[in-house]
Amino acid sequence: MSMIDKKQISERAAEVLRENDRGTYTVPTKGLYPFQWNWDSCLTALGLAQIDERRAWQEIETLFEHQWDDGMVPHIVFHQHDDGYFPGPDVWETNRPVPTSGITQPAVAGFAVKRLFDRARDVKLAREKASALLPKITKWHQWFYENRDPAKTGLVAIIHPWESGRDNSIDWDDAFERVPTEGVQAYQRRDLSHANPDHRPTQEQYDRYIWLVQKFRSLQWDNSKLHDASPFQVVDPGFNGILIRDCQETAELAEALGEDEVAALNRQWVANGLAALDTLWSEKYQQFVCYDRAAAKLVDSASIGGLLAVFANVSEAQAKTIADRINDLAGRAKFLVPSHDPIDPRFDGKRYWRGPAWLIVNYMIADGLIRADQTETANRIVSSSLDLILESGFAEYYDPIDGEPCGGSRFTWTAAMVLEFLREL
Ligand code: DGY
C-alpha cells in the first residue's frame, strides 16, 4: 500500500470515529446501534488513542461508570433515549439510574487498557487512568469466574448468544432449539429498518433472544441464579480465549503498577483457563469448538470462535494448526477470515456471523498469530482486511466470497481496527 493510500485511509477512518463520537462515548454506528456497546468501545479506544489519548481513556472510563455492583459490565449502556433500537431499556428493566442491558460481552477492557498504557505518550495520565481501572477490570473477571463457571471448570459459559458478540453463529443452532418461544411478548424489531434483512438474524432467532431476556428479567437479573436457570449455556473457545488474554494482560499491567496480588489473581485464571481450553480441541476440525454445557457435548461446528482462541497463549502446536486452518480457508474465501467455513452447507456469506468476515476478529486473530510467530498468516489477514476497506469501505462486516459490504455502514470499530492495522504496517 502506498503512503498516499495509507494517509487517505487513515483520514477516512478518523472521520468515521469523529462522526460516531457522542462526547464521552462512541456509538458503533448511527441508526442501527445508537448507544454504547461494551467491546465496541474498548476496541474503539485503540483507534481513538492515535488521535486523542485522553478521549481514548474516557471511552473505557465511561463504560466502567456503569459497572454493576456485582462486578458485571453490561453489554449496552443506554445513555440517551432512542426509539430506533429494539430491545430498549423498557424490555431489559434492569432498574439502573442510567439504563443498561442485563448481560455482558467479551472482555477486552484489560487488553485495551494495557495497550493504551504501553503506548502512552502521556505516561503520567496513563498511570493514573490504568491504576483506577485495574481493580474494576479485575472485579469483572472475578464476576465471570464466580457467576459463569459455578462448577469451577476454568471456563465460563455464555447464557445468551448476544454475550458472545457472535449473535447468530451456527455454533448456537442446536442449543438454541432448547430455548422456547412461547410467552414472548409482542415486539417490533428495529434493526430491519436500518439494515438489509438478509444480513441480519432471523425472526425465530429474535424470538429466542427475547425469551431469554424475559426469563432473566423474571429473576430480577440476579446473576447468582441466571447461569443455572438458563437453558442456553455454551462454552465458547473464542469468548474464553479473549477472557484468558484479558486476564493475562491485566496481570502484566498489575505487575507494572506494583499490584502483585491483583497480578496473581489474574494469573490463576489464565492458568486454569488455558488448561481447560484443551478440552475444546477438535481433532476432526483441527481447531477449537464450542461445548454445549447444558447438553454436555461438544458442538459440531467449525466457526471462527475456535480460531479466535489463538488470541490467548494457546500451545505452539495449536497456534500452528490454526494458522494452517486459516490458510486452508483462504482457498475457499477470497477475503479472510470467514466467520464460518464455506464448506459447511449452513454457511451464509452475508448473514451476520454465519459467514461474513469481521475486522475486529481479524485483528485479534492476527495479534494472536504474531505472538505465536505465525507472522505470514497474520500478514495475510491484515492485507485481506485492508483490501476489504479499499474495495468496500468501513462496513460492519463483509461477504468473504465477493467482498460485499454488509450490515451497518460507517462502522466505528471497523475504522478503529483499520487505524490499528495501518499503525503496524
Ligand atoms: C443487536 O442488537 O444486534 C446486538 O448485536 C445485540 O447486542
Side-chain angles (χ1 to χ4, degrees):
M1 175 175 291
S2 74
M3 283 307 285
I4 299 178
D5 275 350
K6 204 175 151 182
K7 188 161 181 291
Q8 272 178 0
I9 296 177
S10 304
E11 279 166 8
R12 282 170 54 205
E15 208 177 283
V16 173
L17 294 188
R18 266 196 305 277
E19 236 171 70
N20 292 333
D21 189 348
R22 297 293 175 268
T24 55
Y25 67 95
T26 313
V27 299
T29 183
K30 56 175 184 307
L32 188 59
Y33 300 119
F35 313 107
Q36 182 176 27
W37 261 259
N38 182 329
W39 68 327
D40 289 71
S41 262
C42 296
L43 293 168
T44 296
L46 300 175
L48 284 175
Q50 294 185 41
I51 302 163
D52 177 347
E53 229 169 20
R54 199 170 272 278
R55 179 67 189 78
W57 285 109
Q58 186 181 38
E59 185 76 22
I60 303 177
E61 279 171 343
T62 304
L63 176 68
F64 275 85
E65 276 163 23
H66 302 276
Q67 180 169 30
W68 287 19
D69 287 346
D70 67 1
M72 186 188 77
V73 184
H75 99 295
I76 308 175
V77 183
F78 298 102
H79 288 284
Q80 56 187 36
H81 177 79
D82 195 313
D83 273 341
Y85 180 81
F86 174 84
D90 52 323
V91 179
W92 292 95
E93 276 183 9
T94 53
N95 294 322
R96 308 248 338 142
V98 173
T100 71
S101 70
I103 55 172
T104 194
Q105 250 183 348
V108 280
F111 165 75
V113 164
K114 175 67 168 29
R115 207 146 259 204
L116 295 190
F117 181 81
D118 286 345
R119 294 175 179 172
R121 299 181 291 279
D122 188 339
V123 176
K124 190 164 164 280
L125 178 77
R127 255 195 117 72
E128 178 199 314
K129 301 290 184 189
S131 303
L133 283 164
L134 181 71
K136 300 180 183 179
I137 295 170
T138 301
K139 192 170 172 190
W140 188 22
H141 295 164
Q142 184 150 24
W143 171 86
F144 267 117
Y145 289 107
E146 279 175 0
N147 293 281
R148 298 306 175 76
D149 182 22
K152 304 276 167 274
T153 65
L155 297 173
V156 300
I158 53 163
I159 57 170
H160 193 299
W162 284 343
E163 293 200 307
S164 68
R166 300 188 297 113
D167 301 10
N168 66 340
S169 168
I170 290 163
D171 290 346
W172 326 134
D173 286 1
D174 288 347
F176 228 22
E177 287 295 314
R178 287 193 300 276
V179 176
T181 54
E182 291 77 35
V184 171
Q185 285 152 1
Y187 65 91
Q188 193 189 348
R189 285 176 68 174
R190 302 287 177 176
D191 56 317
L192 301 181
S193 53
H194 303 292
N196 182 339
D198 293 342
H199 298 177
R200 295 285 305 170
T202 62
Q203 192 55 41
E204 196 193 325
Q205 284 160 346
Y206 254 81
D207 286 349
R208 296 187 204 276
Y209 297 150
I210 300 306
W211 188 92
L212 285 172
V213 171
Q214 287 182 195
K215 172 78 184 171
F216 303 150
R217 188 179 72 193
S218 75
L219 296 168
Q220 284 82 45
W221 299 104
D222 178 348
N223 272 304
S224 65
K225 299 191 180 134
L226 302 192
H227 175 279
D228 290 356
S230 180
F232 181 89
Q233 298 165 3
V234 181
V235 179
D236 171 11
F239 192 91
N240 277 278
I242 293 172
L243 178 58
I244 293 167
R245 175 73 182 274
D246 214 64
C247 292
Q248 168 94 35
E249 297 286 345
T250 305
E252 286 169 23
L253 177 68
E255 264 152 25
L257 294 171
E259 297 283 351
D260 294 345
E261 271 176 38
V262 176
L265 203 53
N266 277 285
R267 285 213 186 282
Q268 192 56 54
W269 292 318
V270 174
N272 298 346
L274 280 177
L277 202 57
D278 283 341
T279 61
L280 305 185
W281 185 259
S282 159
E283 281 307 319
K284 173 177 170 192
Y285 289 119
Q286 293 291 293
Q287 63 164 81
F288 295 99
V289 292
C290 289
Y291 176 72
D292 185 337
R293 186 176 275 171
K297 60 169 195 225
L298 289 174
V299 179
D300 189 29
S301 170
S303 83
I304 202 163
L307 307 174
L308 184 49
V310 78
F311 192 50
N313 276 350
V314 297
S315 77
E316 223 173 275
Q318 286 164 339
K320 159 97 179 60
T321 310
I322 286 176
D324 291 344
R325 269 282 292 148
I326 292 170
N327 291 317
D328 179 47
L329 285 169
R332 298 189 278 288
K334 183 171 171 210
F335 300 98
L336 289 172
V337 180
S339 48
H340 204 83
D341 191 335
I343 214 164
D344 189 325
R346 299 169 293 183
F347 168 88
D348 181 344
K350 301 199 193 301
R351 207 181 276 281
Y352 217 30
W353 287 94
R354 299 179 80 85
W358 294 69
L359 259 58
I360 30 114
V361 175
N362 281 6
Y363 176 75
M364 288 186 272
I365 293 179
D367 182 275
L369 290 174
I370 290 166
R371 282 158 59 95
D373 282 332
Q374 297 296 330
T375 321
E376 215 171 292
T377 310
N379 289 342
R380 211 168 166 180
I381 295 173
V382 174
S383 60
S384 205
S385 305
L386 294 173
D387 286 349
L388 281 168
I389 295 298
L390 285 170
E391 286 194 23
S392 303
F394 296 86
E396 186 178 3
Y397 44 95
Y398 307 85
D399 184 325
I401 309 294
D402 62 15
E404 182 187 330
C406 296
S409 62
R410 304 199 55 75
F411 221 83
T412 304
W413 68 5
T414 304
M417 294 302 96
V418 170
L419 290 173
E420 281 292 283
F421 287 134
L422 293 176
R423 186 184 188 278
E424 304 300 330
L425 283 185

